[in-house]
Amino acid sequence: MSYLRCIICILLCCLGTNVSLAQSFQENKPGIPLMSTQVIREDSLKSLLNQTTNPHKRIDLLLNLKDISEGNGIETQYTRQLFEEGKKTKDPYAIFVAVTHMVTKYANQQEKSDSLHNYYIKTLEEIEKGTPAEGAATFFKMNIYHRLIGVTTDKQERTEFFRQIRKEFKARQATEDKYQKVKRLFLEGLMQLWELNDQGKSKIYVPEIPLWEEAWNTAQDFPGEYVRRYYLGSIHSLLSGAYNQQQDYENQKRITWQVIDECKAYYKLSEEVYPRPFLYKDNTYVRYYTQLIRGAMYISDEEAYKIYNLFRQHMLSAQEEFLDRNKIYLFETAYLFLGNMHRVDEALANCDSLIHMIETNHAPGFTRILETYKNKAYLFRRANRPEDACIAYERAMQVSDSLIKKEYVERVEALRLKNDIDKLKLEKTVLTAQNRLVEFIFTICILIVVVSISMYYYKSLKKTRKLQKEIFRQSIKAQESEQMKSAFINSICHEIRTPLNSINGFSEILIDESTPTEDKKEYQNIIQENTRILTSLLDSLIEVANLDSLTEALPLEDIEVTSICRTEMEYLQETEGKEGIQYLLDLPVKECIAHTHAQYLSLLLRSLLNNANKFTQEGSICLSCSCNKENKKIIINVTDTGCGISADKHEYVFQRFTKLNTFTLGNGLGLYLCRLIARHMNGNIKIDPNWSKGSKFIFTIPMGNNQTE
């Protein structure tokens, strides 16, 4: 479980680390204040932006403004402008950078994921074909799923989410391209890892590693440096962790070096497209180099020092304000690495350098000062310097006390300030209330006189208008009723006439002695089928009449509903089943007890299933049942992949005598009868407005008193 948690933490920041370098630094590392030169540069860039109309020059300026303002809260403003300028010029790189930021910012927010898909990612998808950004849209969709999996805490909700993802993969597998293939392999491996964890097998990675290795090998052949680097970075975050868990450091080292090379190629290509002098790139390499350095126990000391020196040179090669940022990473990594390599004096020197940066405010926002002092004390212990270790521990305790005291003072000050504000608000409220009380009393006196005079006239007028409205409403209702009855009579006449004509016609043929004997059996079957249709129609009319005239409540009792669901689905498949349609059941393992009426429940389910079967020519029809113990409801869903029902007709179809298509079989009573039955069973039935792949009817009834936990 510990490794999975580590993986998830890496994954939740992976997209941000990979696709938005400066932002990732600000989110996951201590904040470094912008120098005054940066402020001057930003003002100059803003001034140039206001004076420039050339879209390509504006993209260049917006990229630099976005880079220089990362972490100060206004980078999103520049990102949106960058996206719109890139959209105007169809510049894939500008759109790519903008979408990267927006996905990183909003991927965990489900309510904004749709807007990302429909606007930002969709725009990138339209222009990426044949450019270095080809496949980026699929990458962003992959990482949105990636993040949503990580933040889904409920096991049942996660299982349903996995089912939806796999359903999507299955539907698209025949036509998937190479980018969609990597997406499928990446997420399938991640889902299997979660499923093993839920089963208490979190240390088993055999099923996942081959999937991620295949995704890795496939992504290496992607043509665009932009996209290839991002895919490999995301796959690396999972695959390297799995290799580490298997103690396969050689493969871990191999893929880490390759990702480092991909980053170098990406930044080189980016500079050729748009120079970005204010983009902080080194944070990208910190994670990879640190991973290599911390694997020193698996490699020779010589190789470990070689990697460490490469990392050191890289960190110290930064210029201007980036150098302080790199020194933080360097000193922290150096004292830990050198301490593990038994070079304690050098480790202590780097530890002191980091402490000095923190205490002189060159690393503001660095929250690990206490941890740093504790590590210093540990280094003294390893060097067999107990007195110095005690001093370091004492300093750590002082820092701890200081932090606690600071937090306490801040809380007390906040409470005191809140109390003062509340007092002022109370005094103001009391004074205002006194003034308003006098005004209120005077106003009330005037109103009493006015209201008393007006009340009589108002009541008379109101009564007259009420009577007029009621007369008008009843008139409209009568007209509608007559229209509905006329339509119903026409429909019933048509529905009765059709089977009667068939019965009459084929009966005459049967009577005719010249009719061949081999045809008579077929004609008899036709007569029987039309007799069944006519009988069903009359049965529906009788049920509607019975329920409409029912004055007492139906006799309800606790009934086990899953068996009824199974029976009705089997009956539909046996009697009306169509080729090319899957008839699916999604029923809980445990019994679902509902307080209902068995006969009418069967009638309702049969009507819903027949309705779904009537309008579905291919795909699937699914009957599901679940228990909502929190609301004490049994929820039954009937979904299909038919022609669907438009949103404006969702209530219309439940009215009496209504048909969406006058040319289809039916009498306009089926769904009306379903709602009538539902109401008599203290339930409810509606159409899911969010279902777009056909129709989804949701039927709820009260849970039985004997429902077990």
Side-chain angles (χ1 to χ4, degrees), residues 7-25 27-28 66 96-109 113 116 121 136-148 186 226-227 229-238 266-267 283-284 287-288:
I7 283 286
I8 297 304
C9 291
I10 295 172
L11 298 184
L12 290 176
C13 63
C14 176
L15 182 60
T17 302
N18 286 341
V19 301
S20 184
L21 306 176
Q23 179 177 351
S24 168
F25 174 82
E27 290 177 348
N28 302 307
K66 176 186 177 300
F96 179 78
V97 173
V99 176
T100 294
H101 174 87
M102 302 309 294
V103 171
T104 305
K105 186 175 179 66
Y106 295 126
N108 289 341
Q109 303 178 31
S113 295
L116 282 169
I121 296 180
T138 302
F139 170 79
F140 291 131
K141 294 175 185 178
M142 180 184 81
N143 276 281
I144 287 176
Y145 277 154
H146 184 174
R147 287 195 168 199
L148 291 177
F186 178 87
Y226 300 165
V227 172
R229 175 246 171 161
Y230 287 93
Y231 274 101
L232 292 177
S234 289
I235 300 168
H236 176 273
S237 66
L238 292 174
Y266 166 77
Y267 287 125
N283 188 44
T284 305
R287 180 163 63 92
Y288 301 126

Side-chain angles (χ1 to χ4, degrees), residues 178-235:
K178 56 190 175 184
Y179 305 106
Q180 292 166 343
K181 177 183 177 181
V182 171
K183 173 186 173 183
R184 173 173 56 82
L185 293 168
F186 178 87
L187 293 175
E188 184 60 46
L190 182 61
M191 290 188 291
Q192 290 189 22
L193 177 64
W194 272 103
E195 289 167 344
L196 287 172
N197 177 71
D198 291 338
Q199 299 169 16
K201 303 177 182 178
S202 58
K203 293 184 178 181
I204 302 175
Y205 299 99
V206 176
E208 291 78 29
I209 291 178
L211 292 169
W212 293 333
E213 286 178 335
E214 186 179 357
W216 177 270
N217 294 331
T218 304
Q220 289 186 79
D221 296 328
F222 289 173
E225 284 83 350
Y226 300 165
V227 172
R228 185 172 63 244
R229 175 246 171 161
Y230 287 93
Y231 274 101
L232 292 177
S234 289
I235 300 168

Side-chain angles (χ1 to χ4, degrees), residues 353-365:
S353 296
L354 178 59
I355 291 172
H356 178 73
M357 287 189 71
I358 298 170
E359 292 183 341
T360 57
N361 243 4
H362 283 80

Side-chain angles (χ1 to χ4, degrees), residues 114-295:
D114 290 340
S115 64
L116 282 169
H117 181 270
N118 294 328
Y119 183 54
Y120 293 110
I121 296 180
K122 184 178 179 181
T123 302
L124 177 60
E125 195 170 27
E126 291 173 352
I127 69 166
E128 67 177 12
K129 191 72 173 175
T131 73
E134 183 174 348
T138 302
F139 170 79
F140 291 131
K141 294 175 185 178
M142 180 184 81
N143 276 281
I144 287 176
Y145 277 154
H146 184 174
R147 287 195 168 199
L148 291 177
I149 290 172
V151 299
T152 304
T153 57
D154 182 77
K155 186 185 293 185
Q156 185 174 356
E157 183 181 348
R158 185 164 59 247
T159 301
E160 176 60 23
F161 188 31
F162 289 173
R163 189 188 69 80
Q164 294 176 3
I165 293 174
R166 285 173 172 140
K167 185 178 180 181
E168 176 188 324
F169 290 161
K170 185 177 180 181
R172 187 180 294 168
Q173 191 165 3
T175 59
E176 69 177 11
D177 57 26
K178 56 190 175 184
Y179 305 106
Q180 292 166 343
K181 177 183 177 181
V182 171
K183 173 186 173 183
R184 173 173 56 82
L185 293 168
F186 178 87
L187 293 175
E188 184 60 46
L190 182 61
M191 290 188 291
Q192 290 189 22
L193 177 64
W194 272 103
E195 289 167 344
L196 287 172
N197 177 71
D198 291 338
Q199 299 169 16
K201 303 177 182 178
S202 58
K203 293 184 178 181
I204 302 175
Y205 299 99
V206 176
E208 291 78 29
I209 291 178
L211 292 169
W212 293 333
E213 286 178 335
E214 186 179 357
W216 177 270
N217 294 331
T218 304
Q220 289 186 79
D221 296 328
F222 289 173
E225 284 83 350
Y226 300 165
V227 172
R228 185 172 63 244
R229 175 246 171 161
Y230 287 93
Y231 274 101
L232 292 177
S234 289
I235 300 168
H236 176 273
S237 66
L238 292 174
L239 188 56
S240 67
Y243 282 147
N244 183 69
Q245 191 71 10
Q246 296 287 315
Q247 297 184 352
D248 187 359
Y249 185 71
E250 286 301 317
N251 273 321
Q252 184 185 33
K253 182 175 64 173
R254 173 180 59 81
I255 65 173
T256 302
W257 278 119
Q258 189 170 344
V259 171
I260 291 174
D261 291 338
E262 288 291 339
C263 290
K264 292 178 180 177
Y266 166 77
Y267 287 125
K268 183 180 179 181
L269 182 64
S270 297
E271 286 294 326
E272 294 174 0
V273 179
Y274 283 109
R276 298 174 66 180
F278 310 112
L279 178 63
Y280 180 59
K281 309 180 182 91
D282 292 336
N283 188 44
T284 305
Y285 301 100
V286 170
R287 180 163 63 92
Y288 301 126
Y289 275 111
T290 302
Q291 189 178 65
L292 291 170
I293 293 169
R294 291 179 178 176

Side-chain angles (χ1 to χ4, degrees), residues 119 121 192 223 324 391 409 445 485 532 537 578 672 683:
Y119 183 54
I121 296 180
Q192 290 189 22
D324 278 348
I391 294 173
V409 170
C445 293
K485 287 179 180 179
R532 185 190 64 79
L537 173 61
K578 302 177 182 178
Y672 172 74

